[in-house]
Amino acid sequence: MLGTFAAGGFHDPRIVGRFDCFAGTSKERTARRYGVVGVNLLARRA
């Protein structure tokens, strides 16, 4: 996926944080089953 950012003109893409965006919701069980997490991305654009 990070290669997609490079193809879009972004440089040095990286994941700077991960979090459980479904914690405490009615879909928490489904998210855990499929490994769904939220991320924060950082990238530079020339």
Side-chain angles (χ1 to χ4, degrees):
M1 179 176 136
L2 293 179
T4 304
F5 286 95
F10 291 95
H11 300 280
D12 195 25
R14 66 184 106 155
I15 296 173
V16 294
R18 294 178 189 264
F19 54 95
D20 187 357
C21 55
F22 289 100
T25 70
S26 62
K27 297 300 178 185
E28 181 175 8
R29 187 172 166 187
T30 302
R32 293 205 193 289
R33 182 182 309 144
Y34 294 106
V36 176
V37 295
V39 297
N40 288 330
L41 298 171
L42 177 67
R44 296 180 298 122
R45 187 155 193 178

